[in-house]
Amino acid sequence: MTVDALDTRILRLLIEQPRTSVREYARILGVARGTLQARLDRLERDGVITGTGPTLSPAALGHPVLAFVHLEVTQGHLVEVGDALAAVPEIIEAFSTTGGGDLLTRVVARDNGHLEDVIQRLIQLPGVVRTRTDVALRERVAHRVLPLVESVGRAAGDRDRPGSGTVQG
């Protein structure tokens, strides 16, 4: 899917002003409400926009400790272990990976003792061979997508300019 300059402006507004109405977005952008709604629908349909809910803070929910736990899994048990991870509320993300482990989880905890309890629970899952834990000390770059959106939008704009070497039509 191609993200053009208007899409980039729409996505920026959604990120920077998430509680604004579609009518207000259209006014700010200087486009018809129907145009904006059609763009939003396409961005959702194409999987660019994947959610509209609030971003929650685990720390504010009493879980200020963040750790990345790598799990090594017995061959053939990746699906079962992945399913079991979904039952652990302190795991807020899990990914299959290459490299030093088979799964990488993002785990939150109330304190270091609670983190140890969560890790012990993970070690006991059938199919888990070993774990390795990295505790986050401080967030240096918060989760973000806007710089990527702007980069993609700039690249699309460059492709669409006359003389850029691309055929328009």
Side-chain angles (χ1 to χ4, degrees):
M1 123 135 252
T2 302
V3 174
D4 65 15
L6 179 56
D7 293 331
T8 300
R9 291 173 53 213
I10 291 168
L11 294 169
R12 172 184 275 286
L13 272 176
L14 289 172
I15 290 167
E16 292 178 345
Q17 300 177 36
R19 299 180 79 173
T20 302
S21 69
V22 171
R23 175 176 284 146
E24 182 63 10
Y25 287 143
R27 187 194 66 72
I28 292 168
L29 294 169
V31 299
R33 185 186 179 285
T35 300
L36 178 65
Q37 190 61 60
R39 291 289 185 121
L40 289 170
D41 291 345
R42 180 179 52 84
L43 291 166
E44 286 181 20
R45 186 178 56 253
D46 291 348
V48 175
I49 297 173
T50 59
T52 58
T55 302
L56 305 178
S57 166
L61 292 170
H63 289 67
V65 176
L66 171 63
F68 299 92
V69 180
H70 305 258
L71 289 87
E72 186 177 321
V73 177
T74 304
Q75 284 189 336
H77 289 86
L78 191 61
V79 171
E80 295 87 349
V81 172
D83 290 345
L85 294 177
V88 180
E90 294 86 359
I91 294 179
I92 57 176
E93 290 183 294
F95 302 91
S96 300
T97 62
T98 62
D102 300 302
L103 289 164
L104 173 63
T105 63
R106 189 169 163 216
V107 178
V108 294
R110 292 183 303 272
D111 53 39
N112 288 347
H114 181 220
L115 176 60
E116 182 181 14
D117 294 342
V118 173
I119 294 167
Q120 289 302 316
R121 181 174 175 188
L122 299 179
I123 290 170
Q124 294 174 16
L125 293 174
V128 173
V129 176
R130 76 178 44 88
T131 65
R132 189 187 91 235
T133 303
D134 298 314
V135 175
L137 300 176
R138 179 178 296 151
E139 182 177 70
R140 298 295 179 170
V141 177
H143 177 79
R144 67 202 181 126
V145 183
L146 185 56
L148 177 63
V149 167
E150 291 174 336
S151 173
V152 169
R154 277 192 304 275
D158 291 346
R159 285 192 305 271
D160 294 340
R161 278 197 191 91
S164 66
T166 60
V167 177
Q168 296 177 341

